[in-house]
Amino acid sequence: MKKFKISVALFVLICLPAFLLSGCKGFEGYEGEYPQLYTEAIYSILDVRGYHDSHSLVDPYIKIVETDEYGRIMYTYQEIGEYALCIMQKSDEDYVYYYPDFNFIRTSKDVWAEDINERIRNSFSEESIHELKAMNDFGKELDESKCIKKPITLKKESPELSKETVNKLEALCISFAEESGCKGKGSVYRYAQFCSYDNYGRMLFYVYGIHRDVYFDLAIIFNPDWSYDETNSLLRLTENYQSDLKEFKQLHNWDQPLK
């Protein structure tokens, strides 16, 4: 018993300070070289948090891969569980400009290599990279009319979900799971991650759920008052979900004046 007490005391002395420093201290903001690229990535890729992982809370890894003669930048964005290849159109002191919907490709099959170009070739198909460049006019003159812009930020801020909204998400996830063939009304909803907003206050969230061994990656769009379309509430996401998400946004009048 005495040895056990000593072991516990040592654990507290050694581990508690580290826990307080890493576990309780929140991510204070991006400190890297590319705040414009950081901003584009966190507002484009649905399930990113804006920091590498919840334990270290360090900056995500951003590496520039290629630029064209008009100033576009192709780059990689990485945080734990996420590896994406993105294209930014331009930036100034205040804003980053990029094409909505198809400005990135992502993979869950990141294959490490010391050389960044080899890593990209290992992780993405040549066809998908070529398509990404084509859809973002890489190598062509800039066309700002195709762009959306976001104020450059150093941290992904998230609107707070009320208990009422969480309860609605839990009910929606249970209903969605049942419609997908899952039996039983066990808890499905796990968490919701804010992604982006449109010019009229609508909010796009990534929603994660699990029912036994079935995983649900979902999206939902809330109106500024936290109401939502009860007919087409949730979108189930595939690995490269951009086309489906674009249609989902259009269905919910994304970036259109509020009625």
Side-chain angles (χ1 to χ4, degrees):
M1 181 66 70
K2 186 175 181 180
K3 287 183 179 179
F4 175 76
K5 289 181 179 178
I6 292 173
S7 297
V8 171
L10 286 172
F11 174 83
V12 171
L13 286 171
I14 294 170
C15 298
L16 184 59
F19 173 79
L20 291 173
L21 287 172
S22 61
C24 295
K25 182 181 178 182
F27 180 68
E28 295 183 352
Y30 179 72
E31 297 179 348
E33 300 177 67
Y34 311 114
Q36 75 280 32
L37 305 181
Y38 173 82
T39 300
E40 178 187 7
I42 65 171
Y43 286 136
S44 299
I45 309 167
L46 270 182
D47 52 341
V48 301
R49 297 178 180 274
Y51 47 83
H52 188 260
D53 62 67
S54 57
H55 300 291
S56 64
L57 296 175
V58 298
D59 286 343
Y61 303 137
I62 297 175
K63 293 185 180 293
I64 291 178
V65 180
E66 187 178 348
T67 59
D68 72 5
E69 60 186 299
Y70 301 99
R72 291 182 186 85
I73 297 176
M74 185 166 71
Y75 64 97
T76 58
Y77 178 94
Q78 181 188 5
E79 57 183 62
I80 192 165
E82 189 73 57
Y83 191 62
L85 185 64
C86 315
I87 292 179
M88 181 196 75
Q89 295 293 313
K90 58 173 276 191
S91 65
D92 54 34
E93 290 184 1
D94 301 310
Y95 293 94
V96 59
Y97 299 77
Y98 54 94
Y99 290 178
D101 305 312
F102 298 102
N103 59 313
F104 70 92
I105 51 177
R106 59 192 289 272
T107 182
S108 57
K109 300 176 182 176
D110 172 27
V111 182
W112 168 257
E114 181 107 15
D115 179 75
I116 183 67
N117 292 301
E118 183 182 350
R119 184 178 182 184
I120 290 169
R121 287 193 300 270
N122 291 343
S123 302
F124 301 98
S125 69
E126 186 176 338
E127 180 183 2
S128 66
I129 297 171
H130 177 78
E131 185 177 7
L132 175 68
K133 286 184 170 182
M135 296 189 81
N136 287 271
D137 294 334
F138 205 82
K140 297 181 180 180
E141 289 189 21
L142 290 170
D143 185 352
E144 200 170 315
S145 67
K146 294 183 179 181
C147 295
I148 61 171
K149 67 177 184 178
K150 295 290 185 187
I152 293 172
T153 185
L154 301 177
K155 190 176 181 181
K156 186 172 186 177
E157 302 289 355
S158 178
E160 186 175 354
L161 295 170
S162 68
K163 186 175 181 179
E164 180 184 3
T165 301
V166 169
N167 290 339
K168 288 180 181 178
L169 284 173
E170 289 177 343
L172 284 172
C173 284
I174 289 173
S175 177
F176 191 91
E178 289 177 341
E179 291 171 5
S180 301
C182 296
K183 296 181 180 180
K185 288 192 175 183
S187 177
V188 180
Y189 172 80
R190 291 297 181 269
Y191 66 85
Q193 174 70 41
F194 173 70
C195 178
S196 189
Y197 54 88
D198 74 2
N199 290 325
Y200 300 92
R202 296 179 184 89
M203 298 165 285
L204 173 64
F205 275 79
Y206 164 77
V207 180
Y208 176 70
I210 182 171
H211 185 279
R212 296 176 183 170
D213 58 348
V214 181
Y215 300 89
F216 293 96
D217 297 287
L218 307 164
I220 187 169
I221 291 175
F222 288 108
N223 294 314
D225 62 358
W226 294 99
S227 63
Y228 55 88
D229 183 341
E230 296 187 13
T231 306
N232 301 285
S233 306
L234 296 170
L235 169 70
R236 191 162 191 176
L237 302 165
T238 57
E239 182 167 271
N240 286 302
Y241 47 72
Q242 286 93 324
S243 293
D244 291 339
L245 185 59
K246 181 179 180 180
E247 291 180 10
F248 189 64
K249 286 179 174 179
Q250 291 173 340
L251 186 65
H252 290 266
N253 301 312
W254 188 261
D255 257 340
Q256 299 299 315
L258 298 168
K259 294 180 180 179

